[in-house]
Amino acid sequence: VVDNPDIDIVVELIGGVTTAHSLIRRAIQNGKHVVTANKALLAEHGGELFQLASEHQVSLNFEASTAGGIPIIKTLQESFAGNQIHSLYGIVNGTCNYILTEMHERAVDFSDVLKVAQDKGYAEADPTLDVEGIDAAQKLILLIALAYRSSISLQQFHVEGITSITQKEIQYARELGYVIKLLAIAKLTDGNRVEARVHPTLVPERSLLANVGGAFNAVCVIGDAVGPTLFYGQGAGEMPTASAVVADIIDAAKSVQQGISTPISQAWLAGAQAEVGVCPIDDIETRYYIRFVVADRPGVLAKIGTILGNWQISIASVIQKDPHGMETVSLVMLTHKAQEKNMKAALAQIYTLEDVKDKAQLIRIEEEVDF
């Protein structure tokens, strides 16, 4: 197929980063337009393949690689070309969103929902790439390349999955007015760096993102001119994915008919010349949800509060939840904005207290999506 001179367009839907990589390279070198849904391949080899496509004057279309039937790739490439993207927030993994939605609505545990998701085909037999946040991180790499013209790797930013989320966190977040979502987040900082991260996040329950349920996806893009926008739809499944693939094929076919190369993303090419740095997770500032399991005795809150204060972390609210037996209770805190490295240092010191009985549950909070 890739060597046949009578074939103009090659569609790669086999996945993986080895055979698919070599076939796409050969197709491009043979002057063929390529359509792919392979986010893992583009996240790892995107720079090389787009450079090759540019040299051979062919298009490399990849709408189906991120968020299924939601046209977020073309939107960032074309519709938002006149904007500086301030930030973007994506619910881009249907498996995780289905699991968290079921945990929220049905009050069931992670392991039980995962089994149901596997039975329904929402989760793979080995769900690691999904539930550990890697799939969402690969998609974030593509979104950052388009939004900020910067090529980054998976090793450069914080990736955290949902396996540590318990029913207690779901319930306490609800009581505090929040819903937990796995978000892929990118923000342009004042120092011309990109803040990139994937992790469970508390979002206000009244926000649009909080109400994206089941296996659906959504991407919030905030531009300097257009303001906040939200794209919502089915992020996986045969027909939504096929919709994006066929649209890319039609684009490529128009190019063949007109004898020109369709406009392709120059994100990685421009990124090589004007690459923005990645902001380390330690440098970010955000609000936090923290749950400690502590001894049920006077003075514990004062000790924890003192340590947090010493690290410039201000407590916004605190509640004591039901006892864990006779001697321990859950202490749930929301903080004001604080620097991540200060939070890590404070927690390390708090863990030395005899009254603190286990590692804290720490979840970051995003208020900017409250629309």
Side-chain angles (χ1 to χ4, degrees), residues 125-138:
D126 179 1
T128 303
L129 288 177
D130 292 319
V131 299
E132 294 295 351
I134 299 169
D135 174 83
Q138 291 170 338

Side-chain angles (χ1 to χ4, degrees), residues 53-66:
S54 179
E55 292 170 359
H56 290 272
Q57 292 296 293
V58 295
S59 61
L60 176 53
N61 299 326
F62 57 107
E63 186 65 66
S65 65
T66 301

Side-chain angles (χ1 to χ4, degrees), residues 219-234:
V219 181
C220 167
V221 181
I222 302 176
D224 62 343
V226 74
T229 62
L230 183 71
F231 301 84
Y232 168 85
Q234 296 187 63

Side-chain angles (χ1 to χ4, degrees), residues 21 25 30 40 55-56 84-85 92 101 111 130 139 149 161 206 229 236 270-271 303 309 312 323 339 348 370:
H21 180 219
R25 278 189 59 88
N30 288 332
E55 292 170 359
H56 290 272
Q84 182 178 71
I85 304 303
V92 291
T101 300
S111 57
D130 292 319
K139 294 168 181 175
R149 295 179 174 85
R206 61 184 176 271
T229 62
K303 294 176 184 177
Q312 306 302 309
Q339 201 165 35
D370 190 11

Side-chain angles (χ1 to χ4, degrees), residues 233-308:
Q234 296 187 63
E238 62 183 62
M239 294 311 291
T241 304
S243 171
V245 169
V246 171
D248 277 349
I249 293 172
I250 292 170
D251 273 353
K254 289 177 180 177
S255 301
V256 173
Q257 284 183 326
Q258 297 167 8
I260 60 171
S261 172
T262 50
I264 66 170
S265 167
Q266 296 297 309
W268 279 277
L269 304 183
Q273 301 166 13
E275 184 171 354
V276 297
V278 178
C279 181
I281 187 70
D282 282 352
D283 290 351
I284 73 162
E285 287 192 2
T286 190
R287 298 186 62 209
Y288 296 90
Y289 161 103
I290 319 170
R291 179 172 67 87
F292 297 101
V293 176
V294 301
D296 189 11
R297 62 172 68 106
V300 177
L301 176 58
K303 294 176 184 177
I304 293 174
T306 297
I307 293 174
L308 291 174

